[in-house]
Amino acid sequence: MKRVYVNEKWCLACHLCEYYCAFANSGETDMVKALKDVAISPRIRIEQQGDISFAVSCRHCTEPLCVKACISGALTQTDGVIAIDRDKCVGCYTCILSCPYGAVMPSPQGAVQKCELCVNNAQGAPACVGGCPNRAIVFEER
Amino acid sequence: MEYVIIGNSAAAVGCVEGIRQRDAAGHITIVSQEAFHTYSRPLISYLLLGKTDEQRMKYRPDDFYEKNGCTLLSGRRAVRVDGTAHRVELDDGTALPYDKLLAATGSVPFVPPMEGLEQVKERFTFYTLADARALAAALEKPRRVLIVGAGLIGLKCAEGILARASSITVVDLADRILPSILDEEGAALVQRHLEAQGVRFILGDSVARFDGDGARLKGGQTIPFDVLVTAVGVRPNVSLLKEAGAQVQRGVITDVHGRTSLPEVYAAGDCTQSVDTVTGESRVLALLPNAYMQGEAAGISMAGGEGGVDRAMALNAIGFCGLHLMTAGVYDGEVYEKKDGSSYKKLFYADNRLKGYILIGDVQRAGIYTALIRDKTPLDSLDFELICEKPQLMAFTRAERAKKLGGEA
Ligand SMILES: Cc1cc2nc3c(=O)[nH]c(=O)nc-3n(C[C@H](O)[C@H](O)[C@H](O)COP(=O)(O)OP(=O)(O)OC[C@H]3O[C@@H](n4cnc5c(N)ncnc54)[C@H](O)[C@@H]3O)c2cc1C
């Protein structure tokens, strides 16, 4: 299965992936409208310390602890992609307690949010990958 | 192959999904005492709160049984397991033959003997959807509610009915709330938060007797109330397998693949004991993720595989009126502590390993800590200062990070 991978050697800490992610999941068609004066809540997040930086997003694990632990049945895995049903999620955060990568996070709309590889928005392919200027984030089979 | 599953909750669903990973053909019969589609038990408090409804709180979609080739015997109770003849007898007199059997009978609320309890007209436990419906009906008019028990279930119940009850008083024998998962300081913080929402606590005291419409406490106070909820705790529901001769202590004893001491009989979930991977001790870990994963492992083994992974541990994620807390593992060894405002964090470590944590308020990325405990990661292989400050992958070495983020997870 194709997944998002990061190469920290190439990461510039420009945070563009975060903006592309936020735009992709905003439901807006205009990037300026989606992001201007908005406190973004991206599903991919940069970790940064000194001159090291890298992006972290859901690994879409083959043994997804978040899905197995989900108390409501809101997290499911279909064809490898782990997605959240916000309608079912009550925001108990058991998935946040379970994810070894820290890749599931509270959503400003209540419930939780996580990377769904842009399969459930209008992008069709991970926007963070397309938006990375230095190819530090790739979408490939490994 | 004939599979029979007793129970229809998290462990049972895990078992179905485990079986279907290996065996698409075998027939599965589910015996369910509760006459509902499988639902998320912990969501009964969110139901009262209005954060979900009976459709959305279903643990699996409507077509779950059909898609997985299951026959659901809804509202049927298994009354006897005959481990020699490989049959389960039901309360309607029928008998189900099995090749492989799973007991996923869960917990039952424990109601301690209290003088005068029988005379309390409106008393409830808080464990099932039927309990939640009954409590909601009793609170159609605002009433004064007394909850006996300041554990997880009692407090989730309190949160659920906050807007419905005219007052809520919680009594517990322990001197702090959530005594099984919080230390004194953490408990005090959560208690203050709940008090600010209007919940009244009487701790270190217990009911001596009920008379009239009040509860007389051992300490001398009388608490008038209209509706009583007993939430002192739950016990593993082991009677079926115990009578069948399986090895049982507090819970049913199984190996990591869910096998009991009886041939072809498996058990999973709240009715079992698991070996806590942090302490190595066998104990009851009545938690939903644990139940699902044990059920899945049992299902895989029942279908001829080896599904067991040694990763059971105490893990709790709960929130009360917007305040989130997470706890994991055991509270032994040295302590790293950080407090600011309403945020509270304690990390417990010993022998170069993280053993447990308590997080209140800021719980972001806590799973990174959970993984350190579960994987028994040597702390000297990490940047200890960074990992204490907050859960982050930055604390790992570059090589370790490349492994974590670079391969198939
Ligand atoms: C209010 C509340 C909040 C909770 N919150 C959390 C939480 O936030 N996180 C968490 O991890 N856990 C939580 N729990 C605990 C969690 O619900 C349990 O750990 C989980 O449901 C256990 O699943 P199980 O499948 O082992 O058993 P159960 O859910 O107890 O189900 C067992 C089923 O078997 C049926 N059964 C029993 N005997 C028979 C028989 N002889 N014949 C037919 N059927 C039978 C019972 O009727 C029952 O439906 C909460 C529980 C409650 C009540």
Side-chain angles (χ1 to χ4, degrees):
Chain A
M1 160 191 183
K2 279 169 93 172
R3 289 187 170 84
V4 168
Y5 295 100
V6 297
N7 186 344
E8 68 180 61
K9 273 195 288 224
W10 298 109
C11 179
L12 305 166
C14 69
H15 294 260
L16 272 175
C17 52
E18 297 179 345
Y19 285 95
Y20 275 93
C21 175
F23 171 52
N25 293 303
S26 66
E28 298 280 352
T29 49
D30 179 54
M31 196 163 192
V32 176
K33 216 163 137 199
L35 303 179
K36 197 163 185 267
D37 302 324
V38 173
I40 61 165
S41 176
R43 300 162 187 197
I44 189 166
R45 302 265 167 109
I46 297 285
E47 281 195 33
Q48 200 173 347
Q49 166 92 17
D51 51 10
I52 304 174
S53 64
F54 51 89
V56 183
S57 61
C58 173
R59 315 293 313 128
H60 298 278
C61 301
T62 41
E63 274 272 302
L65 292 174
C66 60
V67 176
K68 292 173 199 257
C70 177
I71 66 169
S72 66
L75 279 167
T76 53
Q77 188 167 37
T78 314
D79 300 328
V81 180
I82 299 167
I84 175 85
D85 179 343
R86 284 154 173 269
D87 247 13
K88 283 179 77 74
C89 177
V90 294
C92 75
Y93 297 174
T94 304
C95 48
I96 295 176
L97 168 92
S98 305
C99 174
Y101 304 98
V104 188
M105 61 214 70
S107 154
Q109 283 96 48
V112 298
Q113 62 174 36
K114 61 177 294 305
C115 162
E116 299 178 347
L117 296 176
C118 287
V119 296
N120 295 318
N121 60 33
Q123 301 291 316
C128 55
V129 174
C132 179
N134 215 29
R135 295 216 297 192
I137 311 176
V138 293
F139 185 48
E140 60 187 32
E141 196 96 34
R142 278 195 185 169
Chain B
M1 183 70 85
E2 279 296 331
Y3 301 99
V4 174
I5 299 174
I6 308 174
N8 182 30
S9 187
V13 167
C15 180
V16 169
E17 294 178 351
I19 290 172
R20 289 298 177 233
Q21 287 171 35
R22 290 189 58 98
D23 176 359
H27 181 247
I28 304 173
T29 306
I30 298 174
V31 186
S32 175
Q33 184 174 346
E34 290 186 72
F36 301 114
H37 183 90
T38 186
Y39 67 92
S40 167
R41 187 169 305 294
L43 263 54
I44 61 173
S45 70
Y46 296 87
L47 177 69
L48 296 184
L49 201 57
K51 269 203 175 183
T52 190
D53 54 46
E54 291 194 13
Q55 178 59 29
R56 284 185 290 158
M57 72 189 279
K58 287 179 180 170
Y59 185 51
R60 288 297 180 267
D62 285 326
D63 59 3
F64 174 78
Y65 304 107
E66 197 192 315
K67 270 205 169 151
N68 285 290
C70 301
T71 304
L72 173 67
L73 303 179
S74 186
R76 278 274 82 78
R77 195 162 63 87
V79 291
R80 203 172 87 91
V81 170
D82 185 336
T84 319
H86 286 202
R87 293 184 336 160
V88 178
E89 292 164 19
L90 307 185
D91 56 354
D92 62 355
T94 56
L96 290 173
Y98 64 81
D99 296 310
K100 305 276 180 184
L101 173 69
L102 179 81
T105 49
S107 298
V108 275
F110 168 66
V111 183
M114 287 179 275
E115 198 187 321
L117 184 65
E118 307 304 313
Q119 274 78 57
V120 178
K121 280 197 253 18
E122 299 204 65
R123 67 190 145 93
F124 302 90
T125 51
F126 196 62
Y127 197 72
T128 65
L129 180 53
D131 289 340
R133 283 182 182 173
L135 186 56
L139 293 176
E140 244 159 45
K141 279 185 290 191
R143 319 273 291 283
R144 298 164 301 175
V145 179
L146 172 64
I147 300 176
V148 179
L152 282 164
I153 294 179
L155 296 191
K156 280 313 266 184
C157 178
E159 182 198 35
I161 60 175
L162 253 177
R164 297 173 186 254
S166 58
S167 71
I168 301 174
T169 307
V170 181
V171 175
D172 200 300
L173 188 56
D175 60 0
R176 63 173 190 271
I177 67 167
L178 299 170
S180 61
I181 66 165
L182 285 184
D183 62 345
E184 234 167 82
E185 240 180 316
L189 206 150
V190 180
Q191 182 180 340
R192 277 197 301 278
H193 178 75
L194 278 165
E195 280 170 346
Q197 318 292 320
V199 180
R200 177 178 171 225
F201 289 96
I202 300 174
L203 300 173
D205 208 342
S206 61
V207 175
R209 65 176 193 280
F210 294 100
D211 53 35
D213 51 4
R216 261 171 250 303
L217 304 188
K218 296 219 168 91
Q221 279 187 77
T222 297
I223 315 291
F225 67 91
D226 308 304
V227 170
L228 173 71
V229 178
T230 53
V232 172
V234 297
R235 294 276 158 88
N237 187 1
V238 298
S239 55
L240 272 183
L241 286 196
K242 196 172 192 173
E243 282 156 26
Q247 194 193 347
V248 174
Q249 289 169 3
R250 284 205 58 201
V252 179
I253 303 296
T254 70
D255 68 6
V256 74
H257 306 296
R259 296 185 201 104
T260 69
S261 60
L262 299 175
E264 316 310 338
V265 179
Y266 297 70
D270 278 17
C271 65
T272 68
Q273 287 181 201
S274 356
V275 176
D276 184 328
T277 181
V278 185
T279 61
E281 281 162 21
S282 175
R283 61 168 171 145
V284 176
L285 287 166
L287 299 163
L288 191 140
N290 198 41
Y292 177 87
M293 288 190 239
Q294 284 184 315
E296 185 191 34
I300 292 170
S301 336
M302 288 159 75
E306 290 267 283
V309 187
D310 168 24
R311 62 183 163 202
M313 60 191 258
L315 278 175
N316 287 284
I318 26 164
F320 296 107
C321 313
L323 180 65
H324 284 274
L325 47 140
M326 288 188 190
T327 66
V330 294
Y331 310 147
D332 279 347
E334 288 180 74
V335 187
Y336 167 86
E337 230 182 289
K338 193 171 141 191
K339 286 173 248 178
D340 45 59
S342 62
S343 240
Y344 179 84
K345 160 150 122 187
K346 271 189 182 168
L347 303 177
F348 300 85
Y349 58 97
D351 313 323
N352 198 23
R353 301 287 187 280
L354 189 64
K355 297 287 182 184
Y357 64 74
I358 300 174
L359 303 175
I360 303 175
D362 182 6
V363 296
Q364 298 243 24
R365 306 190 85 192
I368 294 176
Y369 286 152
T370 308
L372 292 179
I373 302 174
R374 188 172 42 229
D375 300 343
K376 305 187 170 70
T377 308
L379 292 175
D380 61 8
S381 71
L382 307 166
D383 186 321
F384 188 65
E385 221 171 289
L386 284 184
I387 205 72
C388 284
E389 184 199 319
K390 62 180 183 202
Q392 51 187 328
L393 301 182
M394 190 65 80
F396 291 91
T397 61
R398 195 184 282 261
E400 188 55 34
R401 202 158 49 235
K403 245 194 279 170
K404 280 190 190 304
L405 297 180
E408 183 173 297

